[in-house]
Amino acid sequence: MDFLDEIHNVRYRLAMALKVSSFKIGDFTYIETSDPNKDFVIGEEEGKVFVLPINKDCIKFSQDIKHCLGFDYYYKEQFPWKEEVKIGVLDRIIRILKVFNDYDEIKNYIINQEIIQYEGKDYAMLEGDLYFSNPYEEFLDKLKDDDLENIKKLSKAYQEVKNFLDIQVENPTSIEDIYKEIESELIKIARKYNVELDYGRSIKLYSDERISEDEEHVEEEIREPINVNSLLAKIRAKKVIERKDEFLNFLLSKEGEFNIWGEIKGKGIILDEMKDKNVTVLLTSSQELEINIGGIKRKILVPKPSILFIKKGSAYFEIAR
């Protein structure tokens, strides 16, 4: 058997090792397994075998295997070019996020909508949960802004002092004075930019405090720390919006030939990339995407300027938009 790549070979071996039964469904072979969560679907194109994991029992509740695989149309079918349509290309999924009529629509969308997406991803990165590469982060890295640098320093100090309070050190009164001093500086910056503060989990400020059973005292005894990453992300977004024309020109200057994962070629702007999982790309003009996955070459016509979200089928995780 000739597989699309090694991961499909491994999946095939897993499917055969766990196989309970199998049956044909459309152009695919469905492998029911002993695994409580996953089954497999096997397809073949131009002699290349590809194997896709699928949620257990999905097919029992849906008559369309494509729905269970996470797309609406297979690329060989006729499909409408409209927002939220998902196209399956072997083990890749292309989702049409946005379709534009002209260049002005593109610019308005970036300023009014895409910056909101970027702010959320920036917060996720500051929290240390995820990593994205995009023009937004590049633009922010180029800013030499005193307030942003000050917030970064204050945030680190604030979190460090909070850690001492969390472990309930002896004689915490003086530590809380430092904590309140830093907190006051953060509040001043938030007010300067008219940013609403978010708060993190509740923490106990004094090791010798007892929480009263009387609820009216709870607020005095328990305080939540400022969510410094949320504050930083909000003010960073404000800084970008203040320079929105400059940011827009910076982003649009990124247009050029791209080759996503060495598989998908076109001309546009990589708006966002989560390594080895998904890519968001802006195509400012109609064109044909050239696709070469495992030697199987295909083309998909993009009839209008669009934003596409391209995901590897093996990457279950994606950012909600």
Side-chain angles (χ1 to χ4, degrees):
M1 251 184 225
D2 190 9
F3 292 94
L4 201 59
D5 59 33
E6 185 57 28
I7 190 66
H8 291 273
N9 185 2
V10 171
R11 285 184 191 158
Y12 180 82
R13 291 162 60 192
L14 281 172
M16 293 302 102
L18 298 169
K19 178 180 173 182
V20 172
S21 65
S22 65
F23 54 89
K24 291 289 290 184
I25 180 165
D27 295 331
F28 299 99
T29 300
Y30 191 101
I31 306 296
E32 186 179 5
T33 74
S34 57
D35 185 278
N37 300 310
K38 295 291 177 185
D39 290 333
F40 292 93
V41 169
I42 300 174
E44 184 176 346
E45 194 157 326
E46 294 186 6
K48 297 274 189 179
V49 175
F50 56 98
V51 184
L52 306 175
I54 191 169
N55 288 333
K56 194 81 171 180
D57 294 333
C58 176
I59 198 63
K60 294 180 181 178
F61 303 102
S62 174
Q63 295 300 312
D64 193 345
I65 188 69
K66 291 177 291 189
H67 170 77
C68 293
L69 291 171
F71 54 87
D72 305 306
Y73 299 91
Y74 204 49
Y75 75 95
K76 294 183 285 188
E77 301 176 279
Q78 288 289 113
F79 52 84
W81 193 265
K82 63 180 185 180
E83 291 167 14
E84 295 307 317
V85 167
K86 300 185 211 46
I87 306 153
V89 186
L90 299 174
D91 62 344
R92 306 291 182 253
I93 295 172
I94 298 175
R95 175 180 161 200
I96 305 169
L97 287 180
K98 189 69 180 173
V99 178
F100 302 102
N101 292 311
D102 55 43
Y103 208 66
D104 285 338
E105 278 190 13
I106 293 173
K107 292 188 288 187
N108 288 335
Y109 182 84
I110 290 169
I111 294 302
N112 296 314
Q113 298 296 325
E114 199 62 28
I115 286 179
I116 296 172
Q117 298 289 334
Y118 281 140
E119 182 184 346
K121 292 173 182 177
D122 188 38
Y123 174 67
M125 288 180 63
L126 291 169
E127 286 283 281
D129 295 331
L130 302 168
Y131 178 77
F132 303 92
S133 57
N134 53 47
Y136 184 88
E137 296 296 331
E138 287 184 52
F139 185 78
L140 283 168
D141 286 344
K142 292 177 183 295
L143 294 181
K144 303 299 180 185
D145 186 272
D146 291 340
D147 280 346
L148 289 181
E149 293 304 314
N150 193 26
I151 295 173
K152 286 180 186 177
K153 293 174 184 176
L154 289 170
S155 297
K156 289 179 181 178
Y158 185 71
Q159 289 172 319
E160 188 169 332
V161 175
K162 183 173 76 68
N163 287 339
F164 280 99
L165 292 171
D166 281 345
I167 61 175
Q168 301 181 347
V169 296
E170 293 182 7
N171 192 24
T173 306
S174 58
I175 296 177
E176 191 192 356
D177 290 340
I178 301 170
Y179 185 82
K180 286 181 176 180
E181 181 183 328
I182 299 170
E183 192 170 66
S184 177
E185 291 299 314
L186 291 170
I187 290 170
K188 284 179 185 177
I189 295 173
R191 286 175 178 167
K192 175 180 177 180
Y193 288 95
N194 194 28
V195 166
E196 184 177 349
L197 290 169
D198 294 322
Y199 293 88
R201 62 183 179 84
S202 295
I203 63 168
K204 191 174 180 181
L205 290 184
Y206 293 105
S207 60
D208 57 351
E209 282 184 339
R210 291 187 60 191
I211 298 175
S212 170
E213 293 180 1
D214 189 342
E215 290 185 357
E216 70 180 6
H217 298 302
V218 170
E219 187 175 348
E220 295 176 2
E221 296 170 351
I222 297 291
R223 292 180 56 204
E224 291 184 323
I226 292 171
N227 186 326
V228 289
N229 288 331
S230 172
L231 175 61
L232 182 54
K234 286 179 179 181
I235 294 180
R236 280 158 66 94
K238 286 256 186 180
K239 292 292 182 181
V240 173
I241 292 169
E242 285 175 0
R243 298 166 170 83
K244 61 183 180 182
D245 291 336
E246 185 183 343
F247 171 68
L248 184 62
N249 290 334
F250 178 78
L251 185 147
L252 294 175
S253 72
K254 297 290 183 180
E255 183 167 20
E257 303 290 332
F258 61 78
N259 189 353
I260 298 169
W261 307 318
E263 298 174 345
I264 302 172
K265 292 182 180 180
K267 183 180 180 182
I269 301 164
I270 301 293
L271 292 180
D272 199 80
E273 182 170 4
M274 189 175 181
K275 188 177 180 181
D276 296 328
K277 288 184 173 62
N278 51 62
V279 174
T280 306
V281 60
L282 166 64
L283 309 180
T284 62
S285 60
S286 60
Q287 60 188 273
E288 283 189 329
L289 285 181
E290 297 181 17
I291 301 173
N292 184 347
I293 302 175
I296 298 176
K297 298 180 181 179
R298 294 290 182 267
K299 290 185 178 181
I300 290 183
L301 174 65
V302 179
K304 300 183 76 172
S306 304
I307 294 179
L308 307 180
F309 179 80
I310 304 171
K311 182 179 78 163
K312 291 188 176 182
S314 58
Y316 296 111
F317 182 85
E318 64 179 77
I319 301 298
R321 293 182 61 101

